[in-house]
Amino acid sequence: DTAVSQTPKYLVTQMGNDKSIKCEQNLGHDTMYWYKQDSKKFLKIMFSYNNKELIINETVPNRFSPKSPDKAHLNLHINSLELGDSAVYFCASSQFRRDEQFFGPGTRLTVL
Amino acid sequence: TQLLEQSPQFLSIQEGENLTVYCNSSSVFSSLQWYRQEPGEGPVLLVTVVTGGEVKKLKRLTFQFGDARKDSSLHITAAQPGDTGLYLCALHPGGTSYGKLTFGQGTILTVHP
């Protein structure tokens, strides 16, 4: 009965590669988010989609491209990975204009 | 940009002790949330405080929202090893920025048996 799931849990890759992280929620929410948590545990929003429409787009390099095929899914594609992209990426979901966001377990990305 | 400062950054205590974590903003915020994150997991919402002066209790956790709505605190009574984790406060801006949470730096709490 997983609420927000992410795959993969761990991702180790070389600099310059392209990788994707997938997120799915079964809570019936209409809004999904991507957050990045750095090595100091600072958590910062990157993107948000409401009903498949991009509503929050923070200052994130163009190498990061989110895609929402439907309300239950939000994927994150990263091109030309750099060392600084190493972090834990969290997906979250909520009902639009509701307070609580539900977070996935995170994807730890390590770029070598 | 509204900033959140959280303190202390690290807290290491013995089981049974009390502790307080603070969260301060550079300006008034509409509502503030407290999350707890365990290792290898995502943050989980503990509480949302909205009204100035509001106090909410969740078992041994007491959350307070400052009268001026620029600060909040989390107090844990008789801490237990199970309280160990990362505690995060987050601004919930409301309005057109709805959903755009701004997090504090977090407090890493370790409770030793």
Side-chain angles (χ1 to χ4, degrees):
Chain A
D1 59 345
T2 305
V4 182
S5 58
Q6 294 179 229
T7 54
K9 176 77 171 170
Y10 300 95
L11 190 50
V12 181
T13 188
Q14 299 288 330
M15 255 193 334
N17 284 350
D18 304 338
K19 290 293 178 186
S20 291
I21 306 171
K22 296 187 175 184
C23 178
E24 177 181 1
Q25 55 94 5
N26 62 4
L27 297 167
H29 291 158
D30 59 4
T31 306
M32 296 184 72
Y33 312 81
W34 277 113
Y35 288 85
K36 178 181 179 181
Q37 188 170 49
D38 63 23
S39 57
K40 295 184 179 180
K41 306 295 185 185
F42 184 60
L43 193 60
K44 189 170 171 17
I45 192 166
M46 300 172 69
F47 303 103
S48 175
Y49 271 77
N50 173 247
N51 282 320
K52 301 195 296 175
E53 182 182 345
L54 184 66
I55 58 172
I56 296 174
N57 186 358
E58 290 297 278
T59 307
V60 176
N62 291 337
R63 299 181 294 103
F64 290 79
S65 53
K67 280 188 173 58
S68 181
D70 55 59
K71 287 195 305 183
H73 297 85
L74 180 62
N75 303 323
L76 183 65
H77 187 76
I78 315 170
N79 289 326
S80 304
L81 278 155
E82 299 178 358
L83 294 176
D85 297 333
S86 295
V88 181
Y89 292 85
F90 286 99
C91 175
S93 74
S94 72
Q95 198 60 25
F96 192 59
R97 296 193 179 279
R98 296 290 295 272
D99 283 342
E100 185 170 6
Q101 293 185 18
F102 293 79
F103 285 78
T107 295
R108 181 174 293 277
L109 171 65
T110 303
V111 182
L112 303 175
Chain B
T1 303
Q2 197 166 16
L3 298 176
L4 269 184
E5 289 205 7
Q6 209 173 320
S7 62
Q9 193 175 352
F10 300 96
L11 204 46
S12 180
I13 61 172
Q14 292 297 125
E15 183 175 0
E17 292 183 10
N18 301 333
L19 66 111
T20 302
V21 177
Y22 299 92
C23 183
N24 295 289
S25 171
S26 55
S27 53
V28 174
F29 41 78
S30 59
S31 68
L32 185 131
Q33 297 182 326
W34 284 95
Y35 285 80
R36 178 166 167 256
Q37 183 182 357
E38 296 191 33
E41 301 290 333
V44 175
L45 180 66
L46 296 173
V47 77
T48 301
V49 284
V50 178
T51 306
E54 183 176 6
V55 177
K56 284 192 174 178
K57 292 196 173 187
L58 191 66
K59 296 184 181 178
R60 293 175 295 99
L61 278 59
T62 301
F63 304 87
Q64 190 152 5
F65 202 12
D67 290 338
R69 294 168 62 204
K70 294 178 68 174
D71 59 278
S72 180
S73 64
L74 157 60
H75 183 78
I76 302 180
T77 304
Q80 299 176 1
D83 296 327
T84 293
L86 173 68
Y87 289 82
L88 296 159
C89 62
L91 283 176
H92 203 290
T96 57
S97 298
Y98 212 91
K100 186 178 169 181
L101 291 178
T102 300
F103 283 89
Q105 310 98 309
T107 296
I108 298 175
L109 171 65
T110 306
V111 183
H112 302 280

